[in-house]
Amino acid sequence: MKTGKNRKAFIVFPDTWLSYSPSIINLAKVMIENGWQVSVEAFDDGSFHRTGEIEVSYTVPSRATRKIVGMFKLFSLYRFFALSARVFKLRKEGFEAVIGVDSLGYLIARLFFDKPVYYSLHIHNTLSAFLCKRLGIDRMIIQTRERLDQVFRDCGYRPADVWFIQNSPIVERSRQNAVKRDHRGFRMVYFGNVARNTYGIENCIEVLHHVADDITLTLKGPVSAEYQRELESSYGGFISSGRLSFDSEYVPQDTVISWLEEFDLGFCFYDEGQILRGDPNILSAPSGKMFNYLAAGLPVIGSKISGLRILTEFGAGILLERQQPEAIGAAVTEIRQSYEKYRQGSRQAALVNDFRVMAESFLADLAKPAKAS
């Protein structure tokens, strides 16, 4: 049954990277599938691709405005006022569900609508986050109870309504048993931002020294020209032999899983310095790239942090406390030797964490009156 037939929803996304936010894109898709009329308002300064998967209205600053705002480092303040002006005009559109993404999106939604839903993608210690908690958060979407406790650890309350929705993709269940890997060799992939000193990129490359020669690695995602040149200079031998490749072409969210199905194993690491800093957006955030790998039937090797423990719970991969290339190489060999066991674990983890199932539970609850806080 369509829970939102002829009902209107509004999503406030206050950042520029909507095309790289599968959770919000997928939420809009599931709402539309369930009969909702969904309006999305986002910010666009030209930094990222615009998504073509859902209809979005963008607030776009002029070039002169961007220059002035950049000069005085007033991006957040400008986004707040620019989006607030747009949302103010829409306050009488009869939206029955309003969702503000992260603290800035929720703060804007809270100013003009009663009891919006706070969709938490990141945990921030910012002025907007402080104001949100002071104004009151009645309803919230967040990934796990651990992250909920982190957000409200210094508050005297919790939201009356909380929905736990992972950063996972929509799982096409008919494909789960249909994926067949008929290529030769063994293909490893890192899918995400190819950034220096963040995601263990160089350790992933160094693994090629410690595994069989028919194993390859693809680094898929945006990378700065400077960093790519450095990697090409350091690892030219692997590139010329075809064992290492770069691919920075954007993949739309609705084709990510089919693209990943061409591989055998995914990496999900964080540099040890990042882990030691204790950032909750690193330690406890269940990684979207991990869930993409799982939905494609790929076992995963990653850092031993709470956000990735699903891998060991389902036998879908291996977590490493120390992620030296030798240890990663040994994990690659172990997974390759017991591949079907780990692949079955990845499929099970994907099905249990299917975004559509979690989102439809949230939509069913939207039809009920909000609890008193």
Side-chain angles (χ1 to χ4, degrees):
M1 183 180 70
K2 291 189 175 183
T3 57
K5 189 174 182 180
N6 299 322
R7 302 179 72 186
K8 298 172 69 175
F10 182 43
I11 300 174
V12 183
F13 190 90
D15 283 294
T16 61
W17 41 270
L18 178 59
S19 59
Y20 288 92
S21 180
S23 294
I24 303 307
I25 293 172
N26 286 334
L27 178 62
K29 287 181 176 180
V30 174
M31 295 185 84
I32 292 167
E33 288 174 3
N34 280 269
W36 288 82
Q37 300 175 41
V38 181
S39 300
V40 181
E41 187 71 29
F43 191 80
D44 179 19
D45 64 358
S47 301
F48 294 91
H49 297 277
R50 289 190 178 191
T51 180
E53 298 176 59
I54 57 174
E55 291 189 15
V56 182
S57 174
Y58 289 96
T59 297
V60 182
S62 67
R63 182 176 299 179
T65 299
R66 290 200 300 269
K67 185 175 180 180
I68 294 170
V69 168
M71 185 183 305
F72 293 99
K73 298 182 179 180
L74 299 173
F75 288 109
S76 294
L77 191 63
Y78 175 76
R79 281 186 286 134
F80 172 76
F81 283 109
L83 282 171
S84 292
R86 173 62 181 160
V87 173
F88 174 78
K89 296 177 182 178
L90 300 173
R91 70 193 187 284
K92 295 183 179 179
E93 288 292 314
F95 296 118
E96 295 183 61
V98 176
I99 300 165
V101 180
D102 283 332
S103 58
L104 192 59
Y106 178 80
L107 183 60
I108 294 169
R110 183 72 168 74
L111 291 177
F112 304 109
F113 299 98
D114 184 44
K115 295 187 183 298
V117 177
Y118 187 134
Y119 199 133
S120 174
L121 296 178
H122 299 93
I123 296 175
H124 301 286
N125 291 317
T126 59
L127 176 60
S128 60
F130 171 79
L131 292 174
C132 287
K133 287 182 278 190
R134 293 289 294 186
L135 286 170
I137 300 171
D138 296 293
R139 304 194 288 176
M140 182 175 232
I141 296 172
I142 197 165
Q143 297 86 6
T144 63
R145 188 169 299 280
E146 178 184 3
R147 288 175 69 76
L148 179 71
D149 291 342
Q150 289 170 336
V151 172
F152 290 95
R153 66 175 179 265
D154 297 324
C155 298
Y157 74 96
R158 293 288 188 276
D161 292 296
V162 179
W163 297 272
F164 296 109
I165 301 180
Q166 294 282 20
N167 296 324
S168 52
I170 295 171
V171 176
E172 298 301 333
R173 292 169 180 256
S174 62
R175 296 178 60 86
Q176 281 291 295
N177 295 315
V179 178
K180 298 185 184 299
R181 289 173 169 77
D182 55 5
H183 52 254
R184 294 181 180 179
F186 194 77
R187 301 178 182 177
M188 306 183 301
V189 64
Y190 167 83
F191 183 86
N193 189 16
V194 182
R196 189 197 314 270
N197 300 328
T198 307
Y199 300 116
I201 299 298
E202 289 163 58
N203 280 343
C204 292
I205 299 173
E206 290 285 342
V207 168
L208 294 172
H209 288 295
H210 304 281
V211 294
D213 290 342
D214 66 340
I215 296 180
T216 64
L217 171 64
T218 297
L219 300 177
K220 174 67 173 180
V223 57
S224 71
E226 179 186 7
Y227 190 40
Q228 182 166 339
R229 283 194 299 270
E230 288 183 23
L231 294 176
E232 289 172 341
S233 175
S234 298
Y235 301 105
F238 287 140
I239 295 170
S240 61
S241 68
R243 297 187 67 199
L244 174 64
S245 61
F246 297 85
D247 184 348
S248 58
E249 184 176 348
Y250 175 71
V251 178
Q253 292 299 329
D254 57 358
T255 62
V256 164
I257 305 306
S258 60
W259 189 89
L260 285 171
E261 286 173 351
E262 297 298 319
F263 296 87
D264 300 290
L265 181 147
F267 286 138
C268 192
F269 289 112
Y270 298 93
D271 279 8
E272 291 182 6
Q274 294 266 73
I275 295 172
L276 291 172
R277 281 193 286 274
D279 183 348
N281 293 306
I282 297 294
L283 298 184
S284 66
S287 168
K289 70 169 66 73
M290 172 188 71
F291 283 117
N292 283 328
Y293 296 146
L294 297 176
L298 275 61
V300 184
I301 301 175
S303 302
K304 192 173 184 179
I305 57 176
S306 63
L308 303 184
R309 63 183 169 218
I310 288 169
L311 296 176
T312 54
E313 290 171 357
F314 286 90
I318 296 174
L319 299 182
L320 300 174
E321 191 162 357
R322 302 297 300 275
Q323 47 204 46
Q324 284 86 1
E326 296 88 344
I328 302 171
V332 170
T333 301
E334 156 64 19
I335 287 178
R336 189 179 190 183
Q337 291 174 345
S338 305
Y339 193 74
E340 191 55 31
K341 178 185 76 171
Y342 285 102
R343 186 172 171 230
Q344 290 288 347
S346 68
R347 283 203 297 256
Q348 184 61 28
L351 290 171
V352 170
N353 292 282
D354 182 356
F355 184 93
R356 179 183 278 114
V357 173
M358 293 180 282
E360 287 183 342
S361 176
F362 160 67
L363 295 180
D365 286 344
L366 279 187
K368 305 172 186 177
K371 301 172 188 174
S373 55

